[in-house]
């Protein structure tokens, strides 16, 4: 089970600034959640607390019953192995192949020397190829990542997250560097992964229409507080 429970979660950054305040909510397994709000509202902060990338300084946050707030290094690694991450800037190694990039998603499950030697198991390669097929980019497996378009690179980013066999995918502004048609393609893939595989997908998005179209639930943030929690239809009424 991969239920996410925020209980009074706050984030005070080292400079004392509160990026998140008193967040209490539950995200059941398999939900597709869009996090919306103006720039600086705390969207990234909220998304990144879930895998401990940003430490919650107040309250308690659990993922699949495991306490992220009080996790030690080993426990955090175990949590992160279940949580795939997709980034705004794709974060691919441009000079190496698409396949090698996706294999990085196997890091958590594999001994460190495998990555150094490139001594991947057949299963790892199969998983990576399967992930590339799912996002319809397997024909580029042996291309250099930097040769791909932005939309293609983001699909590789999604494949890398998928290769982890995650129960949760966090997508931090996954389409902020893409044009509108490409944004829809990327969101369609995330939606399909959620629908077909039951993976919880939490996406932080600038555009409300995209969020509304591709989410079961919207979380609206303002100055670090959750000021809206409901469906797209609820959002229409609130506007
Ligand atoms: P959003 O994703 O909605 O644009 P963020 O979560 O990135 O917002 O940031 C929320 C607020 O926290 C912003 O005002 C931002 O400047 C601040 N912030 C983010 N990271 C840090 C940090 N490491 N130290 C101090 N303040 C930060
Ligand atoms: P991205 O849009 O790629 O997420 P950001 O501009 O939001 O990048 O932030 C980049 C990094 O700078 C993040 O690690 C974030 O926590 C940090 N950061 C953002 N705002 C502030 C701030 N006001 N003070 C210190 N660090 C910040």
């Amino acid at each position: 089970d991969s239920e996410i429970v925020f209980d009074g979660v706050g984030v005070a950054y080292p400079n004392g600034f509160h990026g998140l305040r008193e967040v209490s909510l539950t995200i059941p397994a398999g939900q597709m959640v869009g996090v919306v709000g103006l720039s600086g509202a705390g969207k990234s902060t909220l998304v990144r607390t879930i895998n401990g990338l940003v430490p919650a300084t107040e309250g308690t946050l659990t993922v699949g019953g495991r306490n992220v707030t009080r996790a030690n290094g080993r426990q955090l690694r175990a949590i992160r192995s279940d949580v795939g991450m997709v980034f705004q800037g794709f974060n691919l190694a441009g000079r190496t192949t698409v396949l090698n990039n996706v294999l990085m998603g196997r890091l958590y499950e594999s001994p460190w020397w495998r990555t150094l030697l490139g001594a991947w198991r057949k299963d790892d390669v199969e998983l990576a190829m399967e992930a590339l097929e799912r996002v319809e980019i397997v024909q580029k497996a042996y291309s250099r990542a930097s040769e791909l378009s932005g939309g293609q690179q983001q699909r590789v980013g999604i494949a890398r997250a998928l290769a982890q066999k995650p129960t949760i995918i966090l997508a931090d502004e996954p389409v902020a560097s893409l044009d509108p048609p490409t944004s829809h393609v990327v969101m369609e893939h995330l939606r399909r992964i959620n629908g077909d595989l039951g993976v919880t997908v939490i996406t932080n998005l600038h555009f409300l229409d995209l969020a509304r179209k591709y989410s079961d639930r919207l979380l609206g943030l303002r100055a670090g507080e959750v000021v809206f929690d409901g469906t797209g239809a609820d959002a229409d009424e609130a506007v």
Side-chain angles (χ1 to χ4, degrees):
D1 178 48
S2 56
E3 185 175 72
I4 301 165
V5 182
F6 285 80
D7 183 8
V9 170
V11 171
Y13 280 111
N15 64 1
F17 184 85
H18 282 258
L20 216 57
R21 294 165 192 275
E22 282 289 319
V23 175
S24 295
L25 53 89
T26 296
I27 301 176
Q31 201 165 53
M32 179 112 184
V33 179
V35 183
V36 295
L38 298 176
S39 188
K43 302 183 295 295
S44 284
T45 302
L46 184 139
V47 166
R48 292 175 189 189
T49 52
I50 295 171
N51 65 353
L53 218 51
V54 170
T57 53
E58 290 127 43
T60 306
L61 174 60
T62 60
V63 173
R66 289 173 300 196
N67 193 323
V68 182
T69 346
R70 270 173 283 284
N72 62 28
R74 176 194 296 262
Q75 290 161 335
L76 211 49
R77 226 177 114 86
I79 292 165
R80 288 179 183 168
S81 85
D82 284 343
V83 182
M85 190 130 194
V86 176
F87 303 90
Q88 172 179 349
F90 323 131
N91 290 15
L92 302 181
R95 287 205 263 212
T96 185
T97 63
V98 162
L99 177 60
N100 275 330
N101 272 279
V102 176
L103 280 166
M104 290 304 137
R106 301 301 302 151
L107 256 179
Y108 285 107
E109 323 290 336
S110 314
W112 60 270
W113 51 264
R114 260 193 223 295
T115 31
L116 288 189
L117 302 180
W120 297 101
R121 285 175 318 198
K122 199 157 150 266
D123 305 6
D124 291 321
V125 176
E126 275 169 13
L127 261 172
M129 292 301 268
E130 206 179 290
L132 284 168
E133 266 167 39
R134 196 169 275 283
V135 292
E136 297 172 338
I137 195 96
V138 74
Q139 74 280 9
K140 298 282 187 190
Y142 300 101
S143 302
R144 274 186 188 208
S146 59
E147 289 166 9
L148 273 55
S149 71
Q152 290 174 328
Q153 291 198 31
Q154 192 56 296
R155 277 143 68 193
V156 175
I158 294 171
R160 178 180 54 196
L162 267 182
Q164 248 179 274
K165 292 198 151 255
T167 55
I168 298 166
I169 289 182
L170 305 176
D172 192 4
E173 297 276 6
V175 299
S177 355
L178 304 174
D179 58 36
T182 311
S183 299
H184 280 281
V185 172
V186 165
M187 289 309 297
E188 290 283 357
H189 279 295
L190 287 172
R191 189 44 157 164
R192 217 174 299 154
I193 286 161
N194 166 259
D196 294 351
L197 304 177
V199 173
T200 306
V201 177
I202 302 170
T203 309
N204 126 28
L205 290 160
H206 256 92
F207 294 109
L208 188 57
D209 56 336
L210 269 184
R212 209 178 341 218
K213 178 160 185 203
Y214 296 105
S215 312
D216 300 323
R217 176 183 184 182
L218 299 179
L219 295 177
L221 286 175
R222 188 193 296 145
E225 289 185 68
V226 176
V227 293
F228 179 85
D229 181 355
T231 64
D234 297 336
D236 292 335
E237 279 173 34
V239 168

